[in-house]
Amino acid sequence: MTQTTDTTDFLAPSRLGRLALPHRLVMAPLTRNRAAADGTPTDLMVEHYAQRASAGLIIAEGSTPNAVGQTYPNITAIHTDRHVAGWRRVTDAVRAAGGRMFLQLQHGGRVGHPATTGLTPVAPSAVPLPETIFTPEGHQPAAVPREMTADDIRATVADFAAAARRAVDAGFEGVEVHSANGMLLHQFLADNTNRRGDGYGGSVRRRVRFAAEVTEAVADAIGADRVGIRISPASTVNGVREEDTDGLYAALLDRLKGLDLAYLHLVRSDPRAGWYRKIRADWPGVLIGNPDLTDLTTEAVTRATREMLAAGADLVALGRPFLANPDLVARLRLGAPLNPVRERYFMYVGGADGYNDYPALDGQPSVPSSDSIVATDGARVA
């Protein structure tokens, strides 16, 4: 009798390029604003990621490849030697605990502010974010970004490639290019934020050019098998709008699929959506699905993970479940209850509350204090 393999078994071993993974659960990148003001990872971050080293792969939070790409205060960066040294402490701790890490490279584009960086944001076109943005001085009206010149574009592509090399120097197994959630690369893709009339705007094939060139440069810098890309088809986060989602991503994937990248990461994937099915059919490599979870119970997370794998995902990325449960893998294996997410401590705050004090199964819940709160806001997706 032939034994069949359960393709929805998320605890089964897997592979990602050169990496052997103990299972198919990935920790998704989550902006948590716990870095130093200059973008250097802190002691809190070393502890946070080491606590979650049982993830099959950790994709660390978005780190800026240059100073003007910073989004909010206390966001991580990867463009100086100090940043590399700070991240090396994180990767060393995770590796010592048995884990593996990629680093997300994120440029905010128009999602930035002079009060945070001292610089005018840059973007494909001079179209501001249609909402306020959090800064060290609280929420402020968004700044009108400066339209990027051809020289700006070339320099930014080079900055992404340099950041990827720095990430490898910092001990990461690879990097994820962030082309989702209304950040710079997504701003080039979207109709309402890209009003250019040159070779980077107008037609679909021109609008995908910048994201493709960044990804190609990063792959050339560190090897395509160390590079993933994250996209968010049909997303309107941070005010972006796509008029032709299917055609847009068909053109982008057509440009990228010959590179043999490590993976394609789909944000807030709905396996029933037409765009998801088309992308899965068209993408020849590893696909990471990121389910859009509203119910964070053990049963709901297990069900969504299995549905994602049944719909063709190779790995499943989970954000908030890993945030609140450093031992998420053990809890799902045992069917144990999950800790609830304490939303108040998600973004724009400092300290360990809601960050490093979530209890493991053998620990006691700790009562959060308010000592470290510097500001609160509704959750934003980065």
Side-chain angles (χ1 to χ4, degrees):
M1 181 175 175
T2 303
Q3 186 175 6
T4 59
T5 301
D6 179 4
T7 59
T8 67
D9 181 5
F10 55 84
L11 297 176
S14 188
R15 291 203 66 86
L16 180 67
R18 68 184 74 188
L19 292 178
L21 307 183
H23 52 78
R24 301 165 78 180
L25 297 178
V26 174
M27 179 176 167
L30 292 167
T31 297
R32 301 303 308 279
N33 306 81
R34 260 68 174 196
D38 72 345
T40 302
T42 59
D43 290 345
L44 280 174
M45 294 176 60
V46 175
E47 180 182 1
H48 179 78
Y49 283 111
Q51 286 178 346
R52 290 154 179 80
S54 61
L57 174 71
I58 295 174
I59 305 174
E61 62 206 80
S63 290
T64 58
N66 54 30
V68 75
Q70 183 178 353
T71 52
Y72 312 116
N74 302 101
I75 296 297
T76 60
I78 187 70
H79 55 85
T80 72
D81 291 346
R82 180 175 166 83
H83 299 148
V84 172
W87 274 120
R88 169 62 76 170
R89 294 174 60 234
V90 176
T91 60
D92 283 350
V94 169
R95 187 169 289 109
R100 297 138 298 275
M101 296 186 78
F102 268 45
L103 178 66
Q104 186 185 81
L105 304 181
Q106 171 192 273
H107 190 304
R110 70 176 186 168
V111 185
H113 200 279
T116 302
T117 64
L119 303 166
T120 300
V122 297
S125 301
V127 181
L129 190 71
E131 56 192 68
T132 61
I133 185 169
F134 191 77
T135 76
E137 301 161 15
H139 277 279
Q140 296 199 42
V144 177
R146 178 174 61 80
E147 181 172 310
M148 294 173 72
T149 65
D151 285 344
D152 291 329
I153 289 173
R154 284 190 290 270
T156 303
V157 170
D159 286 343
F160 268 92
R165 287 189 289 268
R166 287 185 178 275
V168 172
D169 290 343
F172 288 97
E173 303 288 353
V175 301
E176 175 178 279
V177 174
H178 194 14
S179 186
N181 294 341
M183 297 300 170
L184 180 64
L185 275 64
H186 198 185
Q187 292 161 28
F188 270 87
L189 297 176
D191 305 77
N192 68 323
T193 48
N194 185 343
R195 300 178 181 175
R196 303 177 70 92
D198 63 1
Y200 291 91
S203 70
V204 163
R205 292 201 171 274
R206 289 180 176 178
R207 281 187 281 121
V208 305
R209 179 180 170 188
F210 179 66
E213 288 183 352
V214 166
T215 308
E216 289 162 353
V218 169
D220 185 60
I222 63 172
D225 63 336
R226 289 180 177 265
V227 179
I229 183 171
R230 194 182 205 211
I231 59 175
S232 55
S235 172
T236 58
V237 172
N238 287 314
V240 297
R241 186 180 67 250
E242 303 164 0
E243 296 294 341
D244 181 12
T245 293
D246 288 347
L248 181 67
Y249 290 97
L252 179 62
L253 299 191
D254 185 61
R255 176 82 179 253
L256 296 179
K257 59 189 178 183
L259 294 179
D260 198 19
L261 298 175
Y263 64 80
L264 174 67
H265 185 179
L266 300 183
V267 179
R268 292 187 169 178
S269 310
D270 180 355
R272 295 160 296 187
W275 62 260
Y276 175 89
R277 295 194 297 269
K278 289 178 181 178
I279 287 175
R280 175 63 284 186
D282 195 39
W283 183 250
V286 171
L287 186 143
I288 301 178
N290 170 224
D292 190 5
L293 295 167
T294 55
D295 183 357
L296 296 181
T297 62
T298 303
E299 295 76 18
V301 172
T302 298
R303 181 172 57 253
T305 299
R306 286 178 172 158
E307 288 175 351
M308 189 63 62
L309 293 171
D314 299 287
L315 303 170
V316 178
L318 301 171
R320 290 169 187 259
F322 269 113
L323 182 164
N325 299 274
D327 56 349
L328 177 67
V329 178
R331 288 175 185 264
L332 295 181
R333 179 180 289 115
L334 296 171
L338 301 186
N339 295 320
V341 175
R342 303 206 302 274
E343 296 284 353
R344 179 186 179 190
Y345 300 91
F346 190 75
M347 287 183 71
Y348 313 136
V349 304
D353 294 342
Y355 190 61
N356 289 346
D357 61 347
Y358 283 106
L361 282 172
D362 58 356
Q364 296 297 316
S366 47
V367 178
S369 71
S370 59
D371 295 345
S372 64
I373 296 299
V374 294
T376 59
D377 188 69
R380 301 271 186 109
V381 177

